[in-house]
């Protein structure tokens, strides 16, 4: 049989996408990036080359453009599978622009599923989020815990896309899928060549911390210290982006080996929770920096505490996290200092 090594990575110039492209190359695969750079930068491709000594094939295509998507698949007859990252991901923005979120995130998946069917590509890895669990009864979540009503249009698109993939598999389309529910991705490549590039003022904790340390923001506000946790601040499961990227390589390899109707959910987290203050103090310690922060009010919509039970991914995908929050916060800072000026 032909040895298919080509993996289409939509959103492959983005934060998790670019790290996954690097890990695919390290794993002997040939990634093909589809990205229209609306939320990423073309120079990330040069940085991937610097890390891997490989020039990746890139198609500057909007995933909503079905004709152009077909061309990618027609020009590359050896595609083994697709890792689908391309989507809008800002919770706050989704509340302002729900139609834009539904249109982009759901319609692009519809296009992708059509194109995969035509090209007879069977393997799909989908980016989902722990946001589908809402505020869980037990903070340690397993994959069989119920999906809750979404708190934001962003979360709703993740739930809808998960369901669409389940229905597509059940419908008889030759499709095998993994739905990867990420906890909180942080960190950057240890080379400091690629990392997260927030647009405007960051919403997420770690980019806000690194930008404050770098003088771009004045102060970090801790959103509430009156929660029912050890130090009163919220608990999350912060996973290093390189560990997360490696899970995608494991997932595409696993799903390729399966047969029949497959649609399997995996939590991707470290299995450990950290409070906001632990993140801040660990950042200060590992980087020898004093961070300007203050305690503020709670942020509406925040879940008090949630972390992953990642036993299923550990066992089934034979994947484990290699990095802790210390490494991740060091790498985030190294990256912040190395970001290409505009
Ligand atoms: C982490 C913790 C904040 C900023 C969201 C989405 C989720 C996923 C990742 C993906 C919380 C606190 C934050 C700040 C703070 N989406 N915080 N001061 O909310 O867990 O998850 O992003 O693509 O679906 O819901 O991540 O990084 O915003 O917050 O105190 O300036 O840090 O309250 O406890 P969150 P986050």
């Amino acid at each position: 049989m032909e040895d298919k090594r080509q993996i289409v990575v939509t959103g492959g110039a983005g934060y998790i996408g670019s790290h996954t492209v690097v890990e695919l190359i390290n794993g002997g695969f040939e990634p093909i990036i589809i990205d229209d750079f609306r939320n990423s930068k073309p120079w990330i491709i040069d940085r991937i080359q610097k890390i891997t000594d490989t020039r990746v094939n890139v198609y500057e295509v909007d995933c909503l453009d079905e004709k152009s998507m077909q061309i990618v698949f027609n020009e590359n007859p050896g595609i083994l599978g697709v890792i689908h990252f391309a989507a809008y991901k800002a919770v706050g923005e989704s509340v302002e622009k729900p139609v834009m979120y539904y249109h982009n995130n759901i319609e692009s998946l519809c296009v992708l599923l059509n194109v995969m069917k035509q090209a007879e590509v069977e393997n799909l890895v989908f980016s989902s989020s722990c946001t589908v669990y809402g505020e869980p009864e037990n903070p340690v979540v397993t994959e069989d815990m119920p999906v809750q009503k979404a708190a934001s249009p962003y979360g709703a698109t993740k739930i809808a896309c998960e369901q669409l993939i389940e229905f597509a598999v059940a419908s008889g389309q030759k499709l095998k899928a993994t739905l990867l529910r990420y906890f909180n991705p942080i960190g950057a490549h240890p080379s400091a060549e690629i990392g997260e590039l927030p647009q405007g003022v960051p919403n997420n904790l770690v980019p806000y911390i690194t930008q404050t340390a770098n003088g771009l923001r004045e102060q970090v506000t801790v959103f509430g210290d009156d929660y029912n946790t050890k130090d009163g601040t919220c608990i999350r499961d912060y996973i290093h982006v390189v560990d997360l990227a490696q899970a995608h390589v494991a997932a595409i390899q696993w799903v390729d080996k399966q047969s029949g109707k497959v649609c399997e959910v995996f939590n991707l987290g470290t299995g450990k929770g950290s409070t906001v203050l632990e993140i801040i103090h660990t950042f200060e310690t590992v980087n020898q920096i004093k961070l300007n922060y203050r305690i503020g009010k709670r942020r509406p919509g925040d879940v008090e505490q949630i972390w992953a039970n990642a036993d299923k991914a550990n066992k089934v995908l034979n994947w484990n996290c290699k990095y802790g929050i210390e490494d991740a916060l060091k790498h985030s800072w190294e990256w912040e200092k190395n970001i290409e000026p505009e």
Side-chain angles (χ1 to χ4, degrees):
M1 233 179 73
E2 190 190 352
D3 185 21
K4 291 189 171 182
R5 309 301 288 171
Q6 290 182 324
I7 309 288
V8 166
V9 185
T10 73
Y15 176 40
I16 308 172
S18 58
H19 290 83
T20 300
V21 166
V22 168
E23 295 309 319
L24 284 167
I25 295 168
N26 290 343
F29 290 96
E30 186 192 322
I32 297 168
I33 293 176
I34 298 179
D35 202 304
D36 66 2
F37 301 109
R38 81 178 76 168
N39 194 19
S40 57
K41 296 284 180 233
W43 54 260
I44 289 290
I45 308 301
D46 304 327
R47 297 289 185 93
I48 292 172
Q49 182 171 2
K50 208 167 162 193
I51 298 168
T52 61
D53 222 4
T54 304
R55 190 69 195 175
V56 181
N57 193 1
V58 182
Y59 286 85
E60 192 171 340
V61 162
D62 178 347
C63 293
L64 291 174
D65 176 355
E66 191 154 342
K67 285 220 160 58
S68 301
M69 290 289 281
Q70 278 167 351
I71 291 171
V72 178
F73 284 74
N74 292 340
E75 285 186 357
N76 299 281
I79 293 169
L80 175 73
V82 179
I83 306 180
H84 184 45
F85 291 106
Y88 290 140
K89 61 171 185 178
V91 176
E93 183 187 53
S94 80
V95 176
E96 307 285 318
K97 299 173 180 169
V99 177
M100 185 178 96
Y101 268 68
Y102 271 67
H103 179 246
N104 185 65
N105 291 5
I106 297 174
E107 181 63 19
S108 61
L109 177 63
C110 296
V111 168
L112 179 65
L113 290 173
N114 276 339
V115 173
M116 287 177 72
K117 191 174 185 174
Q118 281 161 10
E120 296 181 359
V121 174
E122 289 179 29
N123 299 312
L124 176 63
V125 173
F126 178 70
S127 286
S128 190
S129 167
C130 69
T131 194
V132 303
Y133 296 116
E135 176 93 56
E137 267 176 40
N138 180 336
V140 200
V141 293
T142 49
E143 290 83 354
D144 53 8
M145 283 177 54
V147 166
Q148 305 225 9
K149 192 173 174 296
S152 72
Y154 162 74
T157 67
K158 289 295 170 194
I159 295 170
C161 288
E162 283 198 1
Q163 288 174 340
L164 171 55
I165 293 167
E166 279 172 34
F167 283 127
V169 169
S171 74
Q173 170 164 359
K174 276 196 111 192
L175 183 67
K176 298 177 286 168
T178 60
L179 311 176
L180 305 183
R181 292 179 180 159
Y182 312 152
F183 284 68
N184 290 54
I186 61 164
H189 196 267
S191 65
E193 297 292 349
I194 55 174
E196 190 170 6
L197 277 174
Q199 274 187 347
V201 183
N203 297 305
N204 297 115
L205 177 64
V206 171
Y208 210 101
I209 289 175
T210 57
Q211 289 197 2
T212 303
N214 212 9
L216 295 168
R217 311 278 155 218
E218 207 178 313
Q219 191 176 48
V220 178
T221 302
V222 175
F223 296 142
D225 70 346
D226 56 352
Y227 286 98
N228 188 23
T229 61
K230 54 182 161 181
D231 61 22
T233 64
C234 291
I235 297 178
R236 296 289 181 275
D237 185 337
Y238 295 92
I239 176 172
H240 195 296
V241 66
V242 171
D243 284 327
L244 192 58
Q246 286 172 355
H248 290 73
V249 181
I252 199 84
Q253 288 173 310
W254 177 82
V255 81
D256 179 45
K257 284 199 218 102
Q258 308 309 303
S259 52
K261 292 182 189 294
V262 180
C263 188
E264 212 60 55
V265 177
F266 294 99
N267 283 342
L268 297 182
T270 64
K272 287 192 207 89
S274 305
T275 67
V276 177
L277 286 176
E278 282 170 342
I279 293 293
I280 288 175
H281 294 141
T282 306
F283 180 87
E284 292 187 315
T285 307
V286 296
N287 297 312
Q288 296 289 300
I289 288 174
K290 190 94 200 72
L291 197 70
N292 183 15
Y293 72 91
R294 68 172 188 102
I295 308 295
K297 286 207 291 274
R298 289 183 178 199
R299 180 171 69 175
D302 264 341
V303 167
E304 180 174 272
Q305 44 185 323
I306 183 167
W307 64 94
N309 176 322
D311 290 353
K312 185 177 171 188
N314 296 156
K315 285 196 195 98
V316 177
L317 301 179
N318 192 21
W319 160 86
N320 286 286
C321 290
K322 297 186 182 74
Y323 292 110
I325 55 168
E326 292 81 5
D327 309 298
L329 293 168
K330 228 181 161 59
H331 295 155
S332 284
W333 178 230
E334 294 302 321
W335 159 245
E336 176 70 43
K337 290 184 289 181
N338 202 34
I339 294 179
E340 191 107 326
E342 285 305 310

